[in-house]
């Protein structure tokens, strides 16, 4: 004789109700876990913000570590209290036990049925099938007593919500107590690498190229929340340790703190710190100013003057030149230049181009007084210190002067006489030629009757000469009572 083991079946209405209870439990567990994880995250975040506040963390790496640790703790809490319970599938028999505990009138019928439905024991161990069917029928009839909302209560969610509410209230209280500071700490937590601070520090001059061996002032301006102290940190390539200086309050209203260097010899990096704010590292690059290493100065007078050229190795403060002379100046610099300019007459700037040998040449004809001053600008936009100045006085070539010495007035002579004339002539460069001009004083245009060259002999080209010459009246065929006029005309070297 063969015995058939028929499994105990849980009524569909009970199975559906148990599944409803299980779904509600999972939703409540998820919500409770989310609230609890958020509360834990906020607590750890406030601890990180407190550490940042108490220790004034300037290193972005440390602030990033605090933010990372807080996020890891929050994610771990979320996984343990929310995600992990969802991944574990709760058996219906366990749900039935929870239902029986919540609804005593069931008298453990639901847990009995669910356990028997999964039991692999033989029939003689399970009991009478008629009794089991009766229990099943009674349990199904009592299905209306089970309410998922009653079985899966929200007490755990409420506790998590209260904890989260208390945490949020604490954070809100911090914002109300010191909105500025808490806002900054909150922003620094979420952006640990950003330069966020309650006190904003601005370094002056920032990154700058400065001339060597000259004074420098490093200043700081504070914005938002002012502080009473500020510190300057300097890192030099020739010094392994960072130097610190306490900045002094500035007398200027434009900056808050400053530090004065009498002379800068080496490049360095610096930053300024005040309160919880600091500047990034700025660089001070020390370079030499451009200098004039050589000057070739020439003034070439006009050829006719026979004056010697002026040639100097350097730029004279003063010089004189004859009008029409040629000025040529060539400058050489100690370093490559961004531009070379010549300040003319204290106003106009003329740019000079570099020649094939690296010199900068300027050439002009001198027609009026002139002043020149070379301005060298390096590739770092630094100019030469105290540019030299040269003033050139330009004088004109004066016309030669002549004076008749004898006869010095009107004279009466016979028509065939010969008159001896003596004259004195002067010129700043020399007399090259002299003429005796005879003309009719009674004609309307004083008609020139004759021009006679006057031999100068050894006195030619002299700057001052005294010459005698004769005027023969016979060729003019004069009559008694006629008049002649004469003049001496001299020429210079021009």
């Amino acid at each position: 004789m063969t015995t058939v083991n028929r499994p105990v079946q849980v009524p569909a209405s009970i199975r559906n109700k148990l599944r409803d209870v299980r779904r509600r439990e999972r939703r409540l567990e998820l919500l409770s876990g989310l609230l609890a994880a958020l509360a834990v995250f906020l607590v750890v975040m406030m601890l990180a913000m407190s550490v940042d506040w108490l220790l004034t963390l300037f290193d972005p790496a440390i602030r990033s570590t605090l933010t990372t640790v807080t996020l890891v703790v929050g994610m771990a809490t979320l996984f343990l209290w929310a995600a992990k319970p969802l991944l574990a599938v709760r058996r219906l028999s366990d749900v039935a036990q929870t239902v029986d505990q919540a609804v005593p009138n069931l008298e453990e019928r639901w847990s009995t049925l669910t356990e028997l439905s999964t039991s692999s024991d033989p029939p003689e161990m399970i009991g009478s099938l008629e009794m089991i069917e009766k229990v099943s029928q009674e349990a199904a009839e009592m299905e209306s007593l089970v309410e998922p909302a009653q079985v899966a209560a929200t007490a755990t969610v409420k506790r998590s919500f209260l904890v989260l509410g208390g945490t949020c209230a604490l954070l809100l209280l911090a914002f109300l107590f010191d909105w500025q500071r808490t806002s900054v700490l909150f922003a620094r937590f979420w952006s640990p690498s950003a330069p966020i601070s309650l006190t904003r520090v601005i370094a002056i001059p920032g990154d700058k190229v400065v001339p060597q061996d000259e004074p420098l002032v490093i200043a700081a301006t504070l914005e938002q929340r002012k502080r009473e102290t500020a510190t300057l940190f300097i890192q030099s390539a020739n010094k392994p340790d960072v130097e610190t200086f306490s900045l002094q309050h500035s007398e200027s209203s434009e900056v808050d703190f400053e530090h004065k260097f009498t002379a800068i010899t080496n490049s360095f990096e610096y930053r300024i710190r005040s309160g919880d704010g600091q500047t990034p590292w700025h660089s001070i690059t020390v370079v030499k100013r451009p200098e004039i290493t050589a000057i070739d100065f020439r003034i070439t007078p006009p050829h006719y003057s026979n004056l010697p050229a002026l040639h100097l190795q350097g730029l004279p403060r003063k010089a004189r030149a004859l009008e029409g002379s040629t000025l040529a100046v060539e400058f050489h610099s100690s370093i490559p230049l961004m531009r070379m300019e010549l300040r003319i007459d204290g106003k106009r700037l003329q740019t000079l181009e570099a020649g094939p040998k690296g010199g900068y040449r300027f050439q002009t004809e001198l027609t009026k007084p002139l002043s020149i001053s070379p301005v060298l600008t390096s590739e770092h936009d630094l100019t030469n210190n105290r540019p030299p100045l040269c003033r050139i006085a330009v004088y004109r070539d004066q016309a030669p002067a002549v004076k008749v010495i004898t006869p010095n007035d009107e004279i009466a002579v016979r028509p065939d006489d010969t008159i001896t004339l003596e004259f004195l002539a002067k010129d700043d460069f020399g007399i090259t030629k002299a003429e005796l001009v005879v003309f009719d004083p009674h004609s309307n245009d004083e008609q020139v009757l004759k021009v006679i060259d006057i031999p100068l002999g050894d006195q030619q080209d002299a700057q001052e000469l005294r010459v005698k010459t004769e005027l023969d009246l016979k060729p003019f065929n004069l009559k008694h009572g006629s008049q002649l006029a004469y003049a001496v005309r001299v020429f210079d070297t021009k």
Side-chain angles (χ1 to χ4, degrees), residues 62-134:
I62 299 178
R63 298 205 303 267
S64 298
T65 301
L66 287 177
T67 300
T68 302
V69 169
T70 304
L71 292 173
V72 169
V73 170
M75 295 298 293
T77 306
L78 181 64
F79 177 76
L80 292 175
W81 291 357
K84 189 175 180 181
L86 291 179
L87 297 177
V89 180
R90 194 179 183 195
R91 298 182 304 169
L92 289 180
S93 58
D94 296 332
V95 178
Q97 290 181 0
T98 303
V99 172
D100 284 341
Q101 292 174 0
V103 185
N105 292 338
L106 294 178
E107 296 179 350
E108 300 183 354
R109 289 183 175 86
W110 285 29
S111 58
T112 300
L113 285 176
T114 54
E115 289 177 0
L116 291 177
S117 67
T118 58
S119 176
S120 59
D121 293 338
E124 58 271 15
M125 294 294 296
I126 295 175
S128 170
L129 290 177
E130 289 78 7
M131 181 63 70
I132 293 174
E133 289 179 357
K134 185 177 180 181

Side-chain angles (χ1 to χ4, degrees), residues 261-276:
F261 296 89
T262 55
I264 299 297
T265 56
N266 298 305
S267 301
F268 60 87
E269 293 184 337
Y270 75 96
R271 81 183 327 163
I272 301 174
R273 181 179 295 172
S274 181
D276 64 339

Side-chain angles (χ1 to χ4, degrees), residues 395-453:
Y395 60 92
R396 290 183 176 181
D397 179 8
Q398 300 295 325
V402 62
K403 179 181 179 182
V404 177
I405 300 174
T406 59
N408 58 4
D409 204 349
E410 295 183 359
I411 60 173
V413 295
R414 292 191 299 270
D416 57 350
D417 277 354
T418 299
I419 304 172
T420 300
L421 305 175
E422 185 179 8
F423 64 91
L424 179 66
K426 295 181 180 180
D427 186 68
D428 45 3
F429 295 109
I431 304 297
T432 61
K433 182 180 178 182
E435 295 175 339
L436 181 61
V437 182
V438 182
F439 57 90
D440 183 0
H442 297 295
S443 63
N444 294 332
D445 55 355
E446 294 185 342
Q447 179 184 3
V448 175
L449 301 177
K450 192 174 183 180
V451 178
I452 304 170
D453 287 333

